Each structure stands twice: as C-alpha cells, then as structure tokens.
Amino acid sequence: MIRGIALATAGILFAAVTFAKAPAEKDPWWNPDEGRVFPASLDYPNANGTLRLLLDNGPMDTKDHPFFTAIGPNGRACVTCHQPADAMSLSAASARRQWERNGAKDPLFAASDGSNCPSLPQADAASHSLLIDHGLIRIARPWPVRDPMGKPIEADFTIEVVRDPSTCNLDPKYGLKTAGMISVFRRPRPVANFKYIEAMGFAYDPKAGMPLPVDPETGKPVSGNLMADGRVPSLRAQMRDAAGTHLAFLKTLDAQDMERILDFERRIYVAQQADATGGALDADGAKGGPRMLQVSEAGRLGSDGGIPVWSEFEAWEKMPEAQKAKLPPEVRAFRESVARGARVFREKTFLISDSAGINSPIGFGNPVRNSCVFCHNMSYMGMDVAPGQVDLGTTNQPFADPAPHLPLFRITCTGKPHPHYGRTILTSDPSFALTTGKCADVGRITLQTMRGLSARAPYFSNGSAKDLRGVIDYYERRYNIGYTEQEKQDLVNLMRAL
C-alpha cells in the first residue's frame, strides 16, 4: 500500500500534503467474469487526482456475482457500462481505449446499443462513433408511448425525424416508421451512492404538483430520481429494463440475482478522494471524499435545516492564516478556490427562465431568481431532493449546443402549445415526454449526482459538455448569469473535487 503521494505543480516537487491510498487495480477496466475481489476501499487515478470507492462490509468476491457476470449472448455484464474507475459510470475515454484494444469484439460495442445502429457495419469505428467519441449509449424508446406495464399512452404531440446521422431513426428495420422505435443517445448514469438517489425528500412531486410516482410492484412511492427519462420507478424495474435491452439477457433475472445486485449497488459509495493540486480532500478539517457519503444521513435539503451544500470545504476557507502559511502556495490557492466555488454555487443568484419543471407547470414564477442550489440542493450530493425532471435546454433548440452528430426531431404539440417553446420544438432527445406522452415534458431530464465528476467526462445526459468548464459555460450562456472568470474557475475546481 502506498502511504503518500508527492505532488508536482508548476515544476515544483513537494510532499507536504499526503494521503493514504487504497489498492489500485493494475488494469482499471473490469471485464465480465474476471472474478476479481472488490475490496472495501479502491482507488483509481484520473486527470484531476484520485477517485475512491468504498464498499460497505467489503471486500466482496465478484465470481459468479450477477453484477459482474455475463449472462446474455452479447457478453456484457452490468459492470461493462458501470466501471469502478469511471465512478460506476462510463467515460468516453474508457470507451475509446476499449475500442483501440479490442474493436467491435469487445462486449461494450454490442450492436444493439453500443453502435449508432445495429444495421451498420459493426467492424467500422464510424459505426460506434457516438460511444467512442461521446460516451453515448443508444436508447430505443417505443412510439407510440407506452407506460411501464406496456400499455399505449395517447400522446399530445407528433414526432418527425429531421436529421438522422446515426441512421437508426430512418432505418428500414429499426426506425420510427417501421419498428415504431425512437433512438436517442445518452450517458450511462452512475450506479453508486444510492442511499441518496433513492431518498425521498418530499411527499409529492413539487415540479408537477402531483403525488410521487408509485412502484406498481410494492404500491409504495418512489423517489423518481433513477433514470434520465423517468421510465422506471425502482431499481428492480431498472434491472429488468437493462437486462432486456443493454444486456440482451435470454432469461429474466431471478429474485436472488436481483437481490444480490441491489445489495451491491446500495453498498457502494464513490467520490473524488484527492486532488492532484490540493491533496487529500478530507485534510485539514475538510470533509470531502466518499467517507462522508458513507456515514451521513441521506435526503436532506441543504437550505432547509440540512447541511449546506458543499459546506464540506468550509474549513479550508476558515483555516487560520498561520496554518495556511505552512501549505505550499499551490495547495493553498486550490483549496481557497474550492471553498469560494462552494459559496458561489450556493449564493450567486441569477434569473432562471423558460425551464419546465421550474417555471412550469405549477411554477415558481417565470423568471425566478435563485442560485445553483435551487435544483442541486441535497447535502453532500448536489442532486435534487425533490423528485421529477427539469428542462435545462441541453437537448432543445434554441438553447442546446450544436450537436450535428445527434438526431434531431421535430415535435408538434397537438393539444396545448408548450409553455416555453410554442407549438413546435426541435430537440435531440424528447426525454421525459417519451415516458409521459406530454408535449410539455419535451426535454425534461432527471438531475443526477455530481459526485465523481472527474472520472466520468463528458457531462449532461447527451454528453454535450466535454469538460467541467463546458458545464459552467453552458449555464452561463443559458441563463446569462454573469460569472467572472475567477468564479468560473472556482466552480470548476469545486466540481473536480467532488
């Protein structure tokens, strides 16, 4: 075990900041059926420092464990798209590395959803460009819209394919007109920190003024914070959805398999543990890293009696000057930047406008003045305590960044016009509307955890922000916030420390 790390910054080698490192795997990629032991603590280096995973009651033998075992014919397991080194998600860099290693024979690039379309020549890298270059998995949604039980829902909009660079939406076998399927492309969501993701901070959905969704299996309300488009109510339903689509399982997961997967997913915590410049994120009074996630109460609203969001780093700002003076200048500057970024995140307000889930349907006013914590409000996690989906404009024109590699759909409302876009909407992903059949839900997407960001670029559901600065720049353009250059860098440093 390595007990310390020497940090090189601006050409100066120093070892004043040290941190204990957990064992790191020689090869960060986990193939199905390897039978590795998943330790209680596991570290992976990344461009910004070190990611750490903690497993309650670990270590765990993964031999024959259903999360790590290929059950279906495409050779995939759950771990294929939820890699430990990528914060239990999948980075575009990892996808590219696997292509360079194995090409199309790697299970990650299974034709069903690891390629732009199954009909394309699978040996060509161009047929997998959305996964290799952007870390995107193909999601095929039925049209007409169906509920979780498979019953058709009468939609109040029509959909037309305007642009189809993946070729799948106009494909004669897999396309919209022939197969009744709409292909959209999304980033895999992290499978970790579920104590927070499943937590219910409200007894209703304040974004819609409606009761919480109910799990039809248990009859109990659920958090609604699992999938980007809210298409499944629970982790069990998510497992069945993934088994039949991404994993192509020939058999239904039995109850024992599902319980073992649930047990693992609910025991794993992940966050950045150390920064390449700032050192250990739980040093000198700070409470960064995954340990705080592991031991803290979940589901608290930071602005309502809970711990203020990202207050884990307040100690760095309040450190006595004499103590700060003992730190290398680069370490001190980075830590002060992170603490400032946390305050900017909480305190800098701006006008939020034309965002469904915020300004409508029940609405807080349009515009409404608030800060980042209006939506990213859960202590220690930065996700939304309130369930439901929000349209930030990342997939809808005119707000979305140019994405010629993604499909483009024309949505035409047949009932009421959309409250912010009017009767016609151009979008690369209708998202929640493909679950509800409501035009007002076009582009609404479930917010996700902000932990482990350094390990899993690119960002947003469609991968439109290639790096953390791209996330800040998008929000600046979308809401005309007026961040200074220092504030932007402070926010980037905060996010890389999560």
Side-chain angles (χ1 to χ4, degrees):
M1 180 180 290
I2 299 172
R3 294 294 181 184
I5 186 170
L7 303 174
T9 304
I12 301 173
L13 187 69
F14 60 91
V17 180
T18 62
F19 59 95
K21 291 192 71 178
E25 300 289 324
K26 292 180 180 179
D27 184 350
W29 186 264
W30 287 61
N31 289 303
D33 302 314
E34 286 189 12
R36 299 192 206 182
V37 172
F38 202 111
S41 182
L42 181 59
D43 282 1
Y44 287 101
N46 55 52
N48 291 330
T50 301
L51 181 83
R52 177 164 293 176
L53 299 101
L54 298 177
L55 181 65
D56 278 348
N57 302 317
M60 185 188 83
D61 187 355
T62 67
K63 182 177 173 55
D64 298 324
H65 190 286
F67 189 92
F68 299 88
T69 300
I71 300 175
N74 65 15
R76 279 186 184 169
C78 303
V79 74
T80 303
C81 295
H82 299 284
Q83 289 285 318
D86 294 345
M88 300 305 291
S89 178
L90 178 69
S91 69
S94 290
R96 188 174 303 110
R97 184 180 63 244
Q98 288 306 105
W99 179 266
E100 292 169 353
R101 284 177 169 181
N102 304 320
K105 68 180 181 180
D106 193 293
L108 176 63
F109 303 102
S112 59
D113 62 353
S115 68
N116 298 354
C117 193
S119 338
L120 295 171
Q122 296 301 302
D124 295 350
S127 301
H128 305 269
S129 61
L130 291 173
L131 179 50
I132 295 170
D133 297 335
H134 305 279
L136 298 172
I137 293 288
R138 186 175 78 92
I139 309 293
R141 299 302 317 274
W143 183 263
V145 177
R146 296 181 179 274
D147 67 17
M149 307 305 293
K151 182 179 178 181
I153 295 174
E154 185 176 351
D156 67 355
F157 63 90
T158 61
I159 186 166
E160 174 189 356
V161 180
V162 176
R163 180 182 68 217
D164 190 31
S166 74
T167 75
C168 228
N169 285 292
L170 297 177
D171 187 85
K173 181 177 180 180
Y174 297 97
L176 176 59
K177 291 185 178 179
T178 51
M181 301 299 290
I182 297 168
S183 290
V184 294
F185 296 85
R186 298 178 188 154
R187 300 281 292 114
R189 293 168 73 87
V191 176
N193 306 326
F194 273 115
K195 177 171 70 175
Y196 299 85
I197 295 171
E198 291 186 285
M200 289 180 287
F202 283 80
Y204 65 99
D205 177 358
K207 298 182 178 71
M210 300 289 287
L212 288 176
V214 172
D215 182 353
E217 295 182 66
T218 64
K220 296 180 179 179
V222 292
S223 71
N225 281 329
L226 289 178
M227 305 293 285
D229 56 15
R231 67 182 181 272
V232 296
S234 67
L235 283 174
R236 287 182 177 81
Q238 185 276 328
M239 279 187 271
R240 285 192 292 271
D241 179 80
T245 54
H246 308 308
L247 300 172
F249 284 3
L250 297 178
K251 71 180 185 73
T252 302
L253 286 169
D254 62 33
Q256 185 177 15
D257 286 338
M258 293 177 71
E259 287 306 314
R260 292 181 71 191
I261 293 173
L262 280 173
D263 172 71
F264 170 72
E265 291 179 341
R266 287 171 173 163
R267 287 196 287 135
I268 191 74
Y269 295 88
V270 63
Q272 195 80 345
Q273 173 64 27
D275 185 84
T277 300
L281 297 169
D282 56 359
D284 294 319
K287 297 178 181 179
R291 178 61 179 163
M292 183 58 65
L293 299 177
Q294 193 177 32
V295 301
S296 297
E297 179 185 358
R300 296 298 300 275
L301 184 65
S303 60
D304 185 25
I307 306 299
V309 179
W310 313 138
S311 58
E312 297 96 302
F313 303 107
E314 281 183 347
W316 283 349
E317 193 170 34
K318 296 178 179 179
M319 188 185 302
E321 287 299 320
Q323 189 176 353
K324 288 182 181 180
K326 297 178 182 179
L327 295 172
E330 298 83 1
V331 176
R332 174 176 178 172
F334 178 82
R335 291 181 175 183
E336 289 178 341
S337 175
V338 170
R340 286 196 305 268
R343 282 195 290 106
V344 170
F345 194 93
R346 292 192 301 267
E347 298 173 10
K348 179 144 187 163
T349 64
F350 50 92
L351 293 175
I352 304 168
S353 61
D354 297 329
S355 297
I358 300 175
N359 307 112
S360 65
I362 57 172
F364 296 92
N366 190 20
V368 59
R369 178 171 289 278
N370 216 300
S371 68
C372 297
V373 296
F374 194 46
C375 293
H376 299 279
N377 48 47
M378 185 184 287
S379 302
Y380 308 118
M381 284 291 282
M383 58 184 294
D384 199 347
V385 170
Q389 291 68 35
V390 171
D391 169 31
L392 300 172
T394 52
T395 68
N396 296 345
Q397 292 187 7
F399 304 117
D401 288 329
H405 56 285
L406 292 176
L408 186 66
F409 305 98
R410 178 180 290 110
I411 304 294
T412 303
C413 305
T414 55
K416 292 182 179 179
H418 190 282
H420 309 302
Y421 298 103
R423 192 164 296 279
T424 302
I425 310 164
L426 292 174
T427 183
S428 63
D429 185 351
S431 196
F432 193 42
L434 295 178
T435 299
T436 66
K438 296 179 180 179
C439 192
D441 292 333
V442 171
R444 289 181 64 181
I445 292 172
T446 307
L447 277 68
Q448 61 176 276
T449 169
M450 293 179 67
R451 287 293 185 169
L453 291 171
S454 288
R456 53 185 177 93
Y459 309 105
F460 294 131
S461 66
N462 60 358
S464 58
K466 67 178 182 178
D467 53 29
L468 293 173
R469 178 57 185 260
V471 174
I472 302 303
D473 288 343
Y474 176 79
Y475 279 108
E476 173 68 27
R477 293 192 303 272
R478 173 65 178 89
Y479 296 115
N480 193 27
I481 297 173
Y483 287 133
T484 66
E485 191 60 33
Q486 182 65 67
E487 288 172 331
K488 291 179 181 180
Q489 187 59 55
D490 292 343
L491 288 166
V492 168
N493 288 340
L494 168 68
M495 290 194 295
R496 71 182 253 178
L498 301 178

